[in-house]
Amino acid sequence: MALIVKKFGGSSVATPEKMFNIVNRVLAGKKEDDNIVLVVSAMGDTTDELVSLAKQVTSHPYGREMDRLLSTGEQMSIALMAMAFMEKGHPAVSMTGEQAGIKSSNAYGKGRITDIDPSRVFEALKGGNIVIVAGFQGITDDGDITTLGRGGSDTTAVALAGAMKADVCEIFTDVEGVYSTDPRISPNAVKLAEITYGEMLEMARLGAGVMQPRAVEMGSRYGVPIHVRSTFSDNEGTIIREAYTMSANEHVITGVADDTNVAKVSLAGVENKPGVAHTIFQTLADGNVDVDMIVQSVRTINDALTDIVFTITRDDVVLAKDILENLKKTIRMDDFVINEHMAKVSIVGAGMLGQPGVAAKMFGILSAEGINIEIISTSEISISCLIAEDRVKEAVHAIHDKLVLDGRG
Ligand code: ASP
Ligand code: MG
């Protein structure tokens, strides 16, 4: 007997026909005493459509009302899915996030799951039902709905699987699994059989769009294996787990990620004294601008002044401009420039820990391609370079072929 949580995204439930495909597949694969919980997203582009509907009414972020609106997309798909199962002769029941016991913080639009009490889900399973839970939503202590950030159904699925101590959480998607790099950019991308939570978290954080980073975090916290696999085939996908089970799957560099949602902010001639960096970044943080890579230059000629360069997401450019215009009035700065045509290319691999020369190889490959590196940042298991956006595909190709593929010889 197994308890399995299966998550289907918006494109997998876009039409009634696609819903029936899922029903048929789930029922065909289900063993008599398997307990199955489905987490589903809103049909197709419903969430985007709801967002644009709201934009026609207001440009003001009314968080509470917005989350109530967005959460309706998932309510449509759970109800229809439950009907589709019953139509094919299997008992099923749909549940909102609240009914499934998913508590969330009151940060509208980016709620975090704070607690899960899945007792109602267990009860429904005991009654012989397949349970279909709305992804992307939770309920606050005050009884308000919050959504969990775009792509948040992944997080719902993994967290629910964790809380229910499921055997596995399967994430069904339109690709065959997690690849060594984006297969749309590099035809040489290889499907990974396994990847660790830590590596997957880095890949997701650095731009690989397969999964919401928070979902990977949940998997790691609860120790639930996550199986990323295709909606359209029965092939094994990629298992995300704590550690590799086969050494053949382990490599120095696991994958290459790229991110074009990047803008570079350069502050020139900033006063070089204690507290200035704190003021700048605290003000940005207070304005909810996420800052990623940061460098402060060392000046030898005039060390009373310094330059600070950092990156933000392009979505935050307008916000950051306002904040920096204001800051110019209170701290000394010659000027600031924002360049939106930047991209980040990163390599990820737990195997690079204690392996000298990996960074040098990456920089060498970029230099051979004539690609200039603007900023470098590293973590224990990743190295990222900020480069011009129009060179990012070449960079991914070259780094992937020379570092990832050659390493697998
Ligand atoms: N429907 C939500 C979105 O489009 C959540 C999800 O798909 O995971 O972001
Ligand atoms: Mg969606």
Side-chain angles (χ1 to χ4, degrees):
M1 191 179 94
L3 169 57
I4 307 168
V5 175
K6 295 169 184 276
K7 182 259 172 177
F8 292 91
S11 54
S12 308
V13 296
T15 62
E17 191 195 350
K18 289 186 172 179
M19 290 183 174
F20 276 119
N21 289 342
I22 295 175
V23 169
N24 291 335
R25 180 174 178 173
V26 168
L27 293 181
K30 181 182 180 302
K31 298 196 186 72
E32 179 81 34
D33 56 359
D34 276 350
N35 284 310
I36 310 275
V37 177
L38 257 60
V39 172
V40 295
S41 299
M43 296 168 71
D45 297 327
T46 304
T47 310
D48 290 331
E49 285 157 15
L50 292 170
V51 170
S52 65
L53 207 53
K55 279 196 183 137
Q56 291 171 44
V57 176
T58 176
S59 59
H60 192 87
Y62 295 107
R64 179 178 182 277
E65 310 311 325
M66 193 64 190
D67 275 5
R68 178 170 302 271
L69 177 68
L70 294 189
S71 70
T72 61
E74 271 70 13
Q75 296 197 37
M76 280 169 65
S77 46
I78 55 170
L80 290 167
M81 280 299 291
M83 292 181 207
F85 272 104
M86 291 190 279
E87 192 62 21
K88 293 286 174 186
H90 199 288
V93 61
S94 67
M95 290 191 192
T96 62
E98 177 177 19
Q99 290 172 323
I102 299 170
K103 290 276 187 193
S104 53
S105 70
N106 61 5
Y108 295 117
K110 44 184 165 190
R112 285 186 166 265
I113 295 178
T114 50
D115 191 26
I116 301 184
D117 171 8
S119 45
R120 232 179 129 173
V121 182
F122 277 123
E123 234 169 80
L125 288 173
K126 223 185 273 166
N129 292 288
I130 285 177
V131 183
I132 299 137
V133 175
F136 179 55
Q137 55 179 262
I139 193 94
T140 68
D141 286 338
D142 295 329
D144 286 326
I145 299 168
T146 44
T147 61
L148 308 178
R150 298 305 304 269
S153 301
D154 287 346
T155 304
T156 303
V158 180
L160 192 58
M164 297 184 74
K165 302 199 165 39
D167 296 288
V168 63
C169 179
E170 296 181 323
I171 304 281
F172 290 86
T173 161
D174 47 12
V175 289
E176 292 274 335
V178 179
Y179 283 76
S180 55
T181 194
D182 186 342
R184 288 165 305 185
I185 293 190
S186 174
N188 298 335
V190 286
K191 189 177 82 185
L192 307 171
E194 301 181 85
I195 185 171
T196 64
Y197 294 122
E199 288 172 319
M200 190 64 227
L201 192 58
E202 278 301 272
M203 290 282 282
R205 189 178 71 78
L206 296 170
V210 237
M211 271 191 91
Q212 211 197 27
R214 226 181 263 170
V216 185
E217 246 171 65
M218 286 285 175
S220 161
R221 181 174 322 157
Y222 291 111
V224 199
I226 303 170
H227 187 178
V228 181
R229 58 191 308 184
S230 166
T231 311
F232 312 109
S233 81
D234 283 327
N235 299 342
E236 286 287 302
T238 304
I239 309 273
I240 311 171
R241 51 162 69 101
E242 188 58 40
Y244 286 96
T245 58
M246 276 169 43
S247 60
N249 292 334
E250 222 173 324
H251 307 281
V252 176
I253 310 296
T254 303
V256 181
D258 69 284
D259 188 353
T260 49
N261 185 12
V262 181
K264 181 179 77 165
V265 185
S266 314
L267 313 182
V270 178
E271 195 173 3
N272 193 9
K273 68 167 192 195
V276 173
H278 172 248
T279 307
I280 294 169
F281 291 105
Q282 187 62 53
T283 315
L284 289 163
D286 292 344
N288 271 324
V289 175
D290 263 332
V291 173
D292 181 21
M293 305 163 119
I294 304 176
V295 266
Q296 177 175 322
S297 62
V298 183
R299 284 199 182 183
T300 42
I301 309 287
N302 178 358
D303 61 8
L305 297 179
T306 181
D307 304 317
I308 297 178
V309 183
F310 56 91
T311 62
I312 58 177
T313 65
R314 280 186 205 161
D315 315 319
D316 286 345
V317 164
V318 177
L319 202 60
K321 259 188 198 145
D322 283 351
I323 294 173
L324 292 169
E325 282 298 347
N326 262 323
L327 260 178
K328 260 172 94 174
K329 295 174 196 151
T330 50
I331 62 168
R332 194 220 176 276
M333 162 192 330
D334 287 337
D335 207 356
F336 70 87
V337 184
I338 301 185
N339 179 342
E340 296 191 48
H341 302 286
M342 304 302 300
K344 192 164 69 170
V345 57
S346 309
I347 55 175
V348 174
M352 72 172 73
L353 252 171
Q355 178 98 8
V358 176
K361 275 189 195 148
M362 181 183 188
F363 305 155
I365 293 165
L366 289 173
S367 109
E369 296 289 318
I371 297 173
N372 192 43
I373 304 171
E374 304 245 351
I375 306 184
I376 298 161
S377 68
T378 63
S379 82
E380 272 189 333
I381 61 166
S382 70
I383 302 169
S384 303
C385 296
L386 189 73
I387 61 172
E389 182 185 14
D390 59 2
R391 307 299 304 275
V392 72
K393 288 192 175 148
E394 293 157 79
V396 168
H397 266 288
I399 295 172
H400 181 264
D401 287 0
K402 299 207 172 70
L403 268 182
V404 179
L405 291 188
D406 287 0
R408 284 163 209 228

